[in-house]
């Protein structure tokens, strides 16, 4: 068993984390790639889309992964075991 819940969660969701990281990197490269002048309409829209889109993507990732982690442990029947592990002060 791993030392803490955080390491267990990372191990369980490593594939999804890699795909989400690649997707966010591709989104950043697509949007940031053409911004040369923020005073032009194209540059301004690209910068604003990046400012609003990336936090939204992270929010969707966080909600989806956390709900998936809880329901996954509950379906496997290991949620009680995971919650009963002692925590150091």
């Amino acid at each position: 068993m791993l030392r803490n819940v955080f390491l267990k969660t990372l191990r369980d969701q490593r594939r999804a984390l890699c795909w989400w990281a690649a997707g966010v990197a591709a989104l950043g490269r697509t949007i940031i790639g053409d911004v040369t002048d923020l005073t032009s309409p194209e540059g301004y829209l690209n910068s604003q889309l990046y400012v609003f889109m990336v936090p939204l993507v992270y929010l969707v990732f966080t909600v989806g992964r956390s709900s998936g982690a809880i329901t996954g442990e509950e379906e496997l029947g290991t949620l009680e075991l995971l919650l009963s592990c002692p925590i150091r002060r």
Side-chain angles (χ1 to χ4, degrees):
M1 186 155 198
L2 294 172
R3 283 187 248 165
N4 62 22
V5 177
F6 178 69
L7 292 176
K8 181 191 179 310
T9 304
L10 284 180
R11 188 196 69 200
D12 290 346
Q13 299 180 1
R14 63 185 172 268
R15 284 192 191 116
L17 183 62
C18 290
W19 283 110
W20 272 92
V24 169
L27 176 69
R29 185 174 180 170
T30 302
I31 294 173
I32 293 294
D34 296 336
V35 177
T36 56
D37 185 20
L38 291 178
T39 59
S40 71
E42 295 87 10
Y44 176 75
L45 287 176
N46 279 338
S47 68
Q48 292 303 310
L49 181 64
Y50 186 69
V51 166
F52 291 121
M53 188 61 105
V54 170
L56 182 65
V57 168
Y58 283 129
L59 181 67
V60 168
F61 171 75
T62 304
V63 169
R65 293 285 101 196
S66 60
S67 66
I70 292 171
T71 57
E73 295 291 334
E74 187 176 2
E75 286 178 3
L76 290 173
T78 58
L79 185 61
E80 292 83 13
L81 177 65
L82 185 65
L83 293 175
S84 66
C85 291
I87 298 175
R88 288 187 286 152
R89 289 184 177 212

